[in-house]
Amino acid sequence: MRVHRRLAAAVTGLLAFGAALTSPAAAQPPAPAALAAQSTGFVDQVVLSGLSQPTNLEFARDGRVFVAEKRGVVKVYDSLSDPTPTVFADLSAQVHHQWDRGLLGLALSPDFPDDPWVYVLYTYDAPPGRTAPYWHDVCRQANDGTCLVTSRLSRLRASGDVMTGQEEVLLSGWCQQFPSHSVGDLKFGRDGKLYVSGGDGASFTAVDYGQLGKPADPCGDPDREGGALRAQDLRTGGDPVGLHGTVLRLDPQTGKGAKGNPDDDADDEIARRIVAYGLRNPFRFTARPGTDELWISDVGWNGYEEINRLKKPTDKLANFGWPCYEGPDRMRSYDNADLPICESLYASGDARAPFFAYSHTAPVTPGDGCGTSAGGAAGAELFYPAKGGSWPDEYRGALLFADYPRDCVWAMLADDPGDTPSTDGIQVLLRGTTSVTDLALGPDGDVYFTSRTGSVHRIRHRDGNEAPTAYFTARPTSGPVPLTVEFDAGTSSDTDAFDAAGLTYRWDFTSDGSWDADGRSVRHTYPQAGRFAAKLRVTDALGAYDEHTVSIRAGGSAPVAVIDSPKAGRTWGVGEKLTFGGHATDPDQGRLPASALTWQLRLQHCADGGGCHTHVVSDVTGVAEGTIEGPDHEYPSYLELALTATDADGLSSTVVRRLDPKAVELDFRTEPAGLELTVGSYTGRTPFTREMIQGASTTVSAGSPQGDGGDTYAWRSWSDKGRATHVVKAPAGGRTFTAVFAKQDGR
């Protein structure tokens, strides 16, 4: 046993956290101050950029790099040093790219390129029985339960760097009402079978058992068996089994259930495919090398994030409990709704507990410095190999995992490379890893990740003397010639205080291989028009160095984007229409046409602690004006409307306008006072107040019977005449809801 790991975890837990979310449209990347402040020995380096919301990353044996973009495009790079990708496939007409839906899963055949198949998993832009494109990525009110879509698992045949022939659809299904918890990940196991994950497709703001939507439950589930309860579909009879909230084990040639699956003799074809269920949003999972194990990240609702371990997929079916359980506990919102599917699961005790769960209000490991203000969303996972690799021995066989809004990557260490990772051996590797969507092992033994903000990063370990972190600002980065640029490397840094005092700085303003200047702050004039890559090398006293590059455009100026409407300070309610409009002017090209404009509507989903993470609601290109509707979402949250203008030379600028919602207060009481009520994902004792966006919907539940002070009370009525569990809307001016209970005799 290498006991020094525990000491390392304790030391790294004392480090401070200083990262912030960044806009994908920033002209220059943020200074890596938070990374430089770390002493974990790991650094984060951008290796590929210019992508549009990358979701998945795969390395081919021949060195090529495949990247999936959420909008439905798969790109391929010749290698990590290739700055210009080729579009392998464009499925954007089929892919529904709105909110969290899109092209989310990507895998290469284990024998690729000899077996030339690329597998994709995406949300299909049409309701059941319809043909894409149907919604054209735009449902005006995507979160009211009427934006119905399905999903697809397909394979694409590669011919060189491009797809050839037609998309081969292997599996369709996953009826989804709400714009999150769509499909998830794709992985090949050591058995050569294809593993697929998918979410419940249910509401993320209300208790959803199929009663939501217009009409209710358009996916056709039996009464009180829809919504999130689709994740328990294997336990119910009388209707076909669904794919929701499951992990599948498939024959990669046909998409049918693989031989040896737990229910491979079932009459239902879907049941024959399933190896695990009871999951909410298994966005990412990974296979443990040398075993048949799957380790599954499941994004929680209000309480916990989970990492679930499926030891042997061909054994007994695993039920991880959602929505009846979340983390180690019963999910109170669904428990208080008194749903027969959950009540029978509680009685049986058959739900499998997660291998590891962490609370939204607690750090993943004490002192990790990653914060809890943004809640949590368990995401990308990867096992570091037990043999080989470029990292120190202590990380062999470790489970690496990321949290999307906390912007950190952790390692769950094994005492020895062949051992199961231990929850007592968790340490943080990196902080400030903005919006990680996937982790992958590179051909060099380093770990790579995709960031939603448009880039691929490398996590590299530096042994012994750590190199400094190079960074500089350049102002301006474009303009007419002669163009004079001020370069400042003051934010470059070194974790060793002695080395930091003696750093040297060398500049190559045109990347022609010759050094043009020395010093931390310098000035250079570009006399001729052109595109240049200004490079800085920062070197410490022992000769270790790091480099940073910024693009300079001499002889052209970036346009200026202007949002004309909605005006700053404009507020909105759910369903309220907001007209947007804008324009852009370029110093050299004048007023730009509408085709030069791209709009992005983002929702910042915030936790009670104040931290927020981003959901991209929609993208619109080539228009100067249009209309959006205020979305139905939990509070606190707000909208960001971003306008990017790009001129004929490829120079661009982005302006962002924050749009806050109209918030109202709903008061909740019981008679007698002090009893428990559930509002959405929150459960508490009365009286209490919840803030909501005006016009938003949620569910309220009066759990019955319930005890207080030794007495037992049964629910009798609500002041609004609703059922024990029902939907309420937040009206302008707020409202008070009172649940009346009666004391039960003799109790």
Side-chain angles (χ1 to χ4, degrees), residues 485-500:
V485 182
E486 302 283 347
F487 297 94
D488 185 357
T491 50
S492 296
S493 57
D494 198 301
T495 56
D496 186 295
F498 177 79
D499 285 350

mmCIF file with all atom_site columns, all heavy atoms in Angstrom, residues 485-500:
data_model
loop_
_atom_site.group_PDB
_atom_site.id
_atom_site.type_symbol
_atom_site.label_atom_id
_atom_site.label_alt_id
_atom_site.label_comp_id
_atom_site.label_asym_id
_atom_site.label_entity_id
_atom_site.label_seq_id
_atom_site.pdbx_PDB_ins_code
_atom_site.Cartn_x
_atom_site.Cartn_y
_atom_site.Cartn_z
_atom_site.occupancy
_atom_site.B_iso_or_equiv
_atom_site.pdbx_formal_charge
_atom_site.auth_seq_id
_atom_site.auth_comp_id
_atom_site.auth_asym_id
_atom_site.auth_atom_id
_atom_site.pdbx_PDB_model_num
ATOM 1   N N   . VAL A 1 485 ? 1.009  47.050 -30.900 1.00 0.00 ? 485 VAL A N   1
ATOM 2   C CA  . VAL A 1 485 ? 0.380  46.183 -29.897 1.00 0.00 ? 485 VAL A CA  1
ATOM 3   C C   . VAL A 1 485 ? 1.211  46.197 -28.625 1.00 0.00 ? 485 VAL A C   1
ATOM 4   O O   . VAL A 1 485 ? 2.442  46.081 -28.662 1.00 0.00 ? 485 VAL A O   1
ATOM 5   C CB  . VAL A 1 485 ? 0.252  44.738 -30.421 1.00 0.00 ? 485 VAL A CB  1
ATOM 6   C CG1 . VAL A 1 485 ? -0.439 43.851 -29.387 1.00 0.00 ? 485 VAL A CG1 1
ATOM 7   C CG2 . VAL A 1 485 ? -0.505 44.705 -31.742 1.00 0.00 ? 485 VAL A CG2 1
ATOM 8   N N   . GLU A 1 486 ? 0.516  46.342 -27.487 1.00 0.00 ? 486 GLU A N   1
ATOM 9   C CA  . GLU A 1 486 ? 1.153  46.261 -26.169 1.00 0.00 ? 486 GLU A CA  1
ATOM 10  C C   . GLU A 1 486 ? 0.996  44.832 -25.645 1.00 0.00 ? 486 GLU A C   1
ATOM 11  O O   . GLU A 1 486 ? -0.119 44.324 -25.528 1.00 0.00 ? 486 GLU A O   1
ATOM 12  C CB  . GLU A 1 486 ? 0.503  47.245 -25.198 1.00 0.00 ? 486 GLU A CB  1
ATOM 13  C CG  . GLU A 1 486 ? 0.540  48.702 -25.647 1.00 0.00 ? 486 GLU A CG  1
ATOM 14  C CD  . GLU A 1 486 ? 1.909  49.325 -25.444 1.00 0.00 ? 486 GLU A CD  1
ATOM 15  O OE1 . GLU A 1 486 ? 2.742  48.715 -24.730 1.00 0.00 ? 486 GLU A OE1 1
ATOM 16  O OE2 . GLU A 1 486 ? 2.149  50.415 -26.001 1.00 0.00 ? 486 GLU A OE2 1
ATOM 17  N N   . PHE A 1 487 ? 2.110  44.180 -25.336 1.00 0.00 ? 487 PHE A N   1
ATOM 18  C CA  . PHE A 1 487 ? 2.114  42.819 -24.818 1.00 0.00 ? 487 PHE A CA  1
ATOM 19  C C   . PHE A 1 487 ? 2.504  42.843 -23.344 1.00 0.00 ? 487 PHE A C   1
ATOM 20  O O   . PHE A 1 487 ? 3.512  43.451 -22.976 1.00 0.00 ? 487 PHE A O   1
ATOM 21  C CB  . PHE A 1 487 ? 3.098  41.941 -25.593 1.00 0.00 ? 487 PHE A CB  1
ATOM 22  C CG  . PHE A 1 487 ? 2.758  41.762 -27.040 1.00 0.00 ? 487 PHE A CG  1
ATOM 23  C CD1 . PHE A 1 487 ? 3.316  42.592 -28.015 1.00 0.00 ? 487 PHE A CD1 1
ATOM 24  C CD2 . PHE A 1 487 ? 1.887  40.760 -27.444 1.00 0.00 ? 487 PHE A CD2 1
ATOM 25  C CE1 . PHE A 1 487 ? 3.013  42.430 -29.356 1.00 0.00 ? 487 PHE A CE1 1
ATOM 26  C CE2 . PHE A 1 487 ? 1.579  40.589 -28.788 1.00 0.00 ? 487 PHE A CE2 1
ATOM 27  C CZ  . PHE A 1 487 ? 2.135  41.421 -29.742 1.00 0.00 ? 487 PHE A CZ  1
ATOM 28  N N   . ASP A 1 488 ? 1.707  42.158 -22.518 1.00 0.00 ? 488 ASP A N   1
ATOM 29  C CA  . ASP A 1 488 ? 1.964  42.145 -21.072 1.00 0.00 ? 488 ASP A CA  1
ATOM 30  C C   . ASP A 1 488 ? 1.862  40.716 -20.554 1.00 0.00 ? 488 ASP A C   1
ATOM 31  O O   . ASP A 1 488 ? 0.793  40.094 -20.624 1.00 0.00 ? 488 ASP A O   1
ATOM 32  C CB  . ASP A 1 488 ? 0.956  43.039 -20.356 1.00 0.00 ? 488 ASP A CB  1
ATOM 33  C CG  . ASP A 1 488 ? 1.243  43.157 -18.861 1.00 0.00 ? 488 ASP A CG  1
ATOM 34  O OD1 . ASP A 1 488 ? 2.184  42.508 -18.376 1.00 0.00 ? 488 ASP A OD1 1
ATOM 35  O OD2 . ASP A 1 488 ? 0.496  43.882 -18.174 1.00 0.00 ? 488 ASP A OD2 1
ATOM 36  N N   . ALA A 1 489 ? 2.977  40.191 -20.031 1.00 0.00 ? 489 ALA A N   1
ATOM 37  C CA  . ALA A 1 489 ? 3.033  38.825 -19.499 1.00 0.00 ? 489 ALA A CA  1
ATOM 38  C C   . ALA A 1 489 ? 2.986  38.807 -17.978 1.00 0.00 ? 489 ALA A C   1
ATOM 39  O O   . ALA A 1 489 ? 3.423  37.844 -17.348 1.00 0.00 ? 489 ALA A O   1
ATOM 40  C CB  . ALA A 1 489 ? 4.290  38.124 -19.989 1.00 0.00 ? 489 ALA A CB  1
ATOM 41  N N   . GLY A 1 490 ? 2.424  39.839 -17.388 1.00 0.00 ? 490 GLY A N   1
ATOM 42  C CA  . GLY A 1 490 ? 2.409  39.948 -15.939 1.00 0.00 ? 490 GLY A CA  1
ATOM 43  C C   . GLY A 1 490 ? 1.628  38.864 -15.226 1.00 0.00 ? 490 GLY A C   1
ATOM 44  O O   . GLY A 1 490 ? 1.843  38.634 -14.030 1.00 0.00 ? 490 GLY A O   1
ATOM 45  N N   . THR A 1 491 ? 0.716  38.194 -15.917 1.00 0.00 ? 491 THR A N   1
ATOM 46  C CA  . THR A 1 491 ? -0.057 37.128 -15.269 1.00 0.00 ? 491 THR A CA  1
ATOM 47  C C   . THR A 1 491 ? 0.582  35.757 -15.433 1.00 0.00 ? 491 THR A C   1
ATOM 48  O O   . THR A 1 491 ? 0.033  34.760 -14.960 1.00 0.00 ? 491 THR A O   1
ATOM 49  C CB  . THR A 1 491 ? -1.491 37.088 -15.830 1.00 0.00 ? 491 THR A CB  1
ATOM 50  O OG1 . THR A 1 491 ? -1.438 37.084 -17.254 1.00 0.00 ? 491 THR A OG1 1
ATOM 51  C CG2 . THR A 1 491 ? -2.288 38.277 -15.346 1.00 0.00 ? 491 THR A CG2 1
ATOM 52  N N   . SER A 1 492 ? 1.738  35.672 -16.108 1.00 0.00 ? 492 SER A N   1
ATOM 53  C CA  . SER A 1 492 ? 2.494  34.424 -16.100 1.00 0.00 ? 492 SER A CA  1
ATOM 54  C C   . SER A 1 492 ? 2.965  34.154 -14.677 1.00 0.00 ? 492 SER A C   1
ATOM 55  O O   . SER A 1 492 ? 3.165  35.078 -13.881 1.00 0.00 ? 492 SER A O   1
ATOM 56  C CB  . SER A 1 492 ? 3.702  34.518 -17.036 1.00 0.00 ? 492 SER A CB  1
ATOM 57  O OG  . SER A 1 492 ? 3.291  34.688 -18.371 1.00 0.00 ? 492 SER A OG  1
ATOM 58  N N   . SER A 1 493 ? 3.185  32.880 -14.354 1.00 0.00 ? 493 SER A N   1
ATOM 59  C CA  . SER A 1 493 ? 3.450  32.569 -12.949 1.00 0.00 ? 493 SER A CA  1
ATOM 60  C C   . SER A 1 493 ? 4.198  31.260 -12.815 1.00 0.00 ? 493 SER A C   1
ATOM 61  O O   . SER A 1 493 ? 4.376  30.498 -13.779 1.00 0.00 ? 493 SER A O   1
ATOM 62  C CB  . SER A 1 493 ? 2.133  32.496 -12.176 1.00 0.00 ? 493 SER A CB  1
ATOM 63  O OG  . SER A 1 493 ? 1.278  31.535 -12.765 1.00 0.00 ? 493 SER A OG  1
ATOM 64  N N   . ASP A 1 494 ? 4.633  30.993 -11.588 1.00 0.00 ? 494 ASP A N   1
ATOM 65  C CA  . ASP A 1 494 ? 5.299  29.739 -11.240 1.00 0.00 ? 494 ASP A CA  1
ATOM 66  C C   . ASP A 1 494 ? 4.897  29.381 -9.822  1.00 0.00 ? 494 ASP A C   1
ATOM 67  O O   . ASP A 1 494 ? 4.836  30.263 -8.945  1.00 0.00 ? 494 ASP A O   1
ATOM 68  C CB  . ASP A 1 494 ? 6.819  29.892 -11.347 1.00 0.00 ? 494 ASP A CB  1
ATOM 69  C CG  . ASP A 1 494 ? 7.528  28.551 -11.419 1.00 0.00 ? 494 ASP A CG  1
ATOM 70  O OD1 . ASP A 1 494 ? 7.367  27.747 -10.475 1.00 0.00 ? 494 ASP A OD1 1
ATOM 71  O OD2 . ASP A 1 494 ? 8.235  28.300 -12.414 1.00 0.00 ? 494 ASP A OD2 1
ATOM 72  N N   . THR A 1 495 ? 4.616  28.103 -9.582  1.00 0.00 ? 495 THR A N   1
ATOM 73  C CA  . THR A 1 495 ? 4.170  27.687 -8.244  1.00 0.00 ? 495 THR A CA  1
ATOM 74  C C   . THR A 1 495 ? 5.300  27.777 -7.219  1.00 0.00 ? 495 THR A C   1
ATOM 75  O O   . THR A 1 495 ? 5.042  27.825 -6.024  1.00 0.00 ? 495 THR A O   1
ATOM 76  C CB  . THR A 1 495 ? 3.637  26.250 -8.277  1.00 0.00 ? 495 THR A CB  1
ATOM 77  O OG1 . THR A 1 495 ? 4.650  25.389 -8.808  1.00 0.00 ? 495 THR A OG1 1
ATOM 78  C CG2 . THR A 1 495 ? 2.381  26.155 -9.132  1.00 0.00 ? 495 THR A CG2 1
ATOM 79  N N   . ASP A 1 496 ? 6.540  27.774 -7.678  1.00 0.00 ? 496 ASP A N   1
ATOM 80  C CA  . ASP A 1 496 ? 7.694  27.902 -6.789  1.00 0.00 ? 496 ASP A CA  1
ATOM 81  C C   . ASP A 1 496 ? 8.039  29.382 -6.656  1.00 0.00 ? 496 ASP A C   1
ATOM 82  O O   . ASP A 1 496 ? 8.361  30.053 -7.641  1.00 0.00 ? 496 ASP A O   1
ATOM 83  C CB  . ASP A 1 496 ? 8.883  27.124 -7.355  1.00 0.00 ? 496 ASP A CB  1
ATOM 84  C CG  . ASP A 1 496 ? 10.065 27.098 -6.401  1.00 0.00 ? 496 ASP A CG  1
ATOM 85  O OD1 . ASP A 1 496 ? 10.628 28.175 -6.139  1.00 0.00 ? 496 ASP A OD1 1
ATOM 86  O OD2 . ASP A 1 496 ? 10.425 25.996 -5.933  1.00 0.00 ? 496 ASP A OD2 1
ATOM 87  N N   . ALA A 1 497 ? 7.964  29.897 -5.445  1.00 0.00 ? 497 ALA A N   1
ATOM 88  C CA  . ALA A 1 497 ? 8.175  31.325 -5.235  1.00 0.00 ? 497 ALA A CA  1
ATOM 89  C C   . ALA A 1 497 ? 9.576  31.757 -5.674  1.00 0.00 ? 497 ALA A C   1
ATOM 90  O O   . ALA A 1 497 ? 9.769  32.859 -6.208  1.00 0.00 ? 497 ALA A O   1
ATOM 91  C CB  . ALA A 1 497 ? 7.945  31.683 -3.770  1.00 0.00 ? 497 ALA A CB  1
ATOM 92  N N   . PHE A 1 498 ? 10.580 30.885 -5.437  1.00 0.00 ? 498 PHE A N   1
ATOM 93  C CA  . PHE A 1 498 ? 11.945 31.231 -5.856  1.00 0.00 ? 498 PHE A CA  1
ATOM 94  C C   . PHE A 1 498 ? 12.027 31.338 -7.377  1.00 0.00 ? 498 PHE A C   1
ATOM 95  O O   . PHE A 1 498 ? 12.589 32.288 -7.918  1.00 0.00 ? 498 PHE A O   1
ATOM 96  C CB  . PHE A 1 498 ? 12.924 30.177 -5.346  1.00 0.00 ? 498 PHE A CB  1
ATOM 97  C CG  . PHE A 1 498 ? 14.341 30.405 -5.798  1.00 0.00 ? 498 PHE A CG  1
ATOM 98  C CD1 . PHE A 1 498 ? 15.154 31.348 -5.183  1.00 0.00 ? 498 PHE A CD1 1
ATOM 99  C CD2 . PHE A 1 498 ? 14.862 29.686 -6.864  1.00 0.00 ? 498 PHE A CD2 1
ATOM 100 C CE1 . PHE A 1 498 ? 16.453 31.564 -5.614  1.00 0.00 ? 498 PHE A CE1 1
ATOM 101 C CE2 . PHE A 1 498 ? 16.155 29.896 -7.306  1.00 0.00 ? 498 PHE A CE2 1
ATOM 102 C CZ  . PHE A 1 498 ? 16.963 30.838 -6.682  1.00 0.00 ? 498 PHE A CZ  1
ATOM 103 N N   . ASP A 1 499 ? 11.453 30.348 -8.063  1.00 0.00 ? 499 ASP A N   1
ATOM 104 C CA  . ASP A 1 499 ? 11.469 30.391 -9.524  1.00 0.00 ? 499 ASP A CA  1
ATOM 105 C C   . ASP A 1 499 ? 10.694 31.584 -10.059 1.00 0.00 ? 499 ASP A C   1
ATOM 106 O O   . ASP A 1 499 ? 11.082 32.207 -11.058 1.00 0.00 ? 499 ASP A O   1
ATOM 107 C CB  . ASP A 1 499 ? 10.870 29.106 -10.100 1.00 0.00 ? 499 ASP A CB  1
ATOM 108 C CG  . ASP A 1 499 ? 11.822 27.920 -9.987  1.00 0.00 ? 499 ASP A CG  1
ATOM 109 O OD1 . ASP A 1 499 ? 12.992 28.148 -9.635  1.00 0.00 ? 499 ASP A OD1 1
ATOM 110 O OD2 . ASP A 1 499 ? 11.378 26.788 -10.243 1.00 0.00 ? 499 ASP A OD2 1
ATOM 111 N N   . ALA A 1 500 ? 9.584  31.923 -9.412  1.00 0.00 ? 500 ALA A N   1
ATOM 112 C CA  . ALA A 1 500 ? 8.738  33.021 -9.884  1.00 0.00 ? 500 ALA A CA  1
ATOM 113 C C   . ALA A 1 500 ? 9.493  34.341 -9.895  1.00 0.00 ? 500 ALA A C   1
ATOM 114 O O   . ALA A 1 500 ? 9.234  35.215 -10.731 1.00 0.00 ? 500 ALA A O   1
ATOM 115 C CB  . ALA A 1 500 ? 7.487  33.130 -9.019  1.00 0.00 ? 500 ALA A CB  1
#
